[in-house]
């Protein structure tokens, strides 16, 4: 049975450093148990802050970074190196400073990659990359120890937007067209894929996130508010600063 935990900390800086600490410990624990760890990264402002905080953590030296698989929850379908790509931001914030195994860094294809600007073909390519790393017992997906998600002001997670066709996709990876948030073309893990992760961490800071966070925790429908559907198989962690938690009922908070 999956549990949901809501953690509230004072502000965005403390949120970033506490999420970074949790992430490093989660990776160390996974590596202690099985020798490797698998993390799904998210894009967005708070995610970049978290990654910069990991770089500052002395405990990050306890991770064997060459045995960490990195995947992305979504990507803005733009040329390689574009500053708005989630991959570019993650590399600049942290990845370029780590001794990662390049073969284990699974960025989503760019719009000038092998499939050109065909987002559907690029999404299918990423689905094949996931399938090639599939865990025993699954033909389609690897194990994800932790899958991190930012939460949009409209309640989107990854590139799954409210009442948008991507929310109804049943494959593992979807091409998203006409995204309400720029850029219009994106690639995203689908909700069924997100829900296979052992732990899903929804990370949000700032008052603009208070409404969607409050509604999702109170049980909104996942088509109206995708954040409400993002649940881990073992645990769903809401990691919030006080402003983002303003509409969370006190009984749902595990730490103030
Ligand atoms: O465009 C995106 O936005 C969301 C939320 O970003 P934030 O800056 O409001 O935290 C992000 O989670 C997603 O990965 C990204 O593609």
């Amino acid at each position: 049975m999956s549990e949901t935990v809501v953690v509230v900390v004072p502000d965005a800086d403390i949120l970033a450093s506490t999420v970074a600490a949790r992430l490093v410990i989660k990776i160390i624990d996974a590596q202690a148990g099985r020798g490797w760890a698998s993390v799904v990264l998210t894009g967005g402002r708070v995610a970049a802050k978290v990654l910069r905080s990991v770089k500052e953590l002395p405990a990050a030296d306890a991770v064997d970074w060459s045995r960490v698989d990195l995947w992305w929850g979504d990507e803005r379908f733009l040329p390689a190196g574009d500053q708005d790509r989630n991959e570019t931001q993650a590399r600049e914030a942290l990845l370029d400073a780590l001794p990662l195994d390049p073969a284990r860094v699974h960025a989503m294809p760019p719009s000038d990659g092998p499939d050109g600007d065909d987002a559907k073909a690029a999404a299918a390519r990423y689905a094949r990359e996931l399938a090639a790393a599939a865990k025993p017992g699954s033909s389609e997906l690897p194990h994800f120890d932790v899958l991190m998600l930012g939460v949009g002001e409209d309640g989107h997670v990854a590139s799954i937007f409210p009442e948008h066709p991507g929310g109804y996709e049943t494959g593992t990876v979807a091409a998203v067209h006409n995204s309400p948030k720029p850029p219009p073309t994106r690639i995203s893990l689908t909700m069924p894929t997100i829900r296979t992760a052992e732990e899903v961490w929804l990370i949000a800071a700032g008052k603009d996130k208070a409404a969607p966070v409050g509604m999702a925790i109170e049980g909104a429908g996942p088509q109206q508010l995708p954040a409400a559907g993002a649940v881990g198989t073992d645990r769903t962690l809401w990691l919030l600063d006080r402003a983002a938690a303003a509409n969370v009922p006190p009984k749902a908070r595990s730490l103030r």
Side-chain angles (χ1 to χ4, degrees):
M1 164 105 178
S2 175
E3 64 167 353
T4 298
V5 177
V6 181
V7 177
V8 183
V9 301
D11 61 36
D13 287 341
I14 298 174
L15 180 66
S17 58
T18 54
V19 175
R22 281 176 182 276
L23 181 62
V24 165
I25 297 298
K26 181 77 185 160
I27 294 171
I28 291 170
D29 284 355
Q31 289 187 331
R34 135 178 30 89
W36 55 274
S38 172
V39 173
V40 182
L41 300 174
T42 181
R45 290 157 291 181
V46 77
K49 254 172 120 61
V50 168
L51 295 184
R52 283 195 292 273
S53 294
V54 170
K55 198 153 62 176
E56 307 301 319
L57 271 181
D61 291 342
V63 171
D64 178 353
W65 290 104
S66 71
R67 294 172 72 82
V68 178
D69 288 308
L70 293 178
W71 302 90
W72 268 263
D74 75 314
E75 188 53 274
R76 297 141 179 195
F77 196 52
L78 295 166
D82 191 291
Q83 283 300 315
D84 283 337
R85 266 178 69 81
N86 292 335
E87 177 200 357
T88 308
Q89 294 176 9
R91 287 192 185 278
E92 289 179 2
L94 176 67
L95 309 191
D96 287 346
L98 297 177
L100 293 159
D101 174 353
R104 298 182 93 135
V105 179
H106 305 276
M108 288 181 165
S111 61
D112 57 355
D115 303 299
D117 64 359
D118 183 343
K120 197 168 173 207
R125 178 178 297 277
Y126 203 64
R128 289 195 298 275
E129 194 166 334
L130 286 161
K135 62 189 169 195
S138 162
S139 57
E140 294 191 306
L141 291 169
H143 178 83
F144 301 132
D145 292 302
V146 52
L147 184 150
M148 294 187 286
L149 294 169
V151 180
E153 285 83 354
D154 57 358
H156 80 265
V157 289
S159 286
I160 305 174
F161 292 89
E163 301 289 8
H164 206 259
Y168 298 89
E169 291 277 353
T170 53
T172 56
V173 186
V176 177
H177 298 283
N178 305 314
S179 155
K181 178 179 177 179
T185 309
R186 293 157 169 261
I187 298 175
S188 186
L189 300 188
T190 61
M191 194 56 83
T193 297
I194 288 171
R195 291 168 66 98
T196 67
E198 182 181 310
E199 294 200 5
V200 168
W201 296 1
L202 295 120
I203 309 161
K207 63 179 170 37
D208 294 346
K209 308 293 171 85
V213 165
M215 288 190 285
I217 291 175
E218 293 251 63
Q223 297 303 344
Q224 293 75 38
L225 208 77
V231 172
T233 58
D234 286 14
R235 196 153 81 128
T236 307
L237 258 184
W238 286 87
L239 299 159
L240 308 170
D241 75 352
R242 253 183 217 142
N247 294 2
V248 176
K251 63 175 173 11
R253 299 180 187 211
S254 39
L255 183 68
R256 255 166 248 126

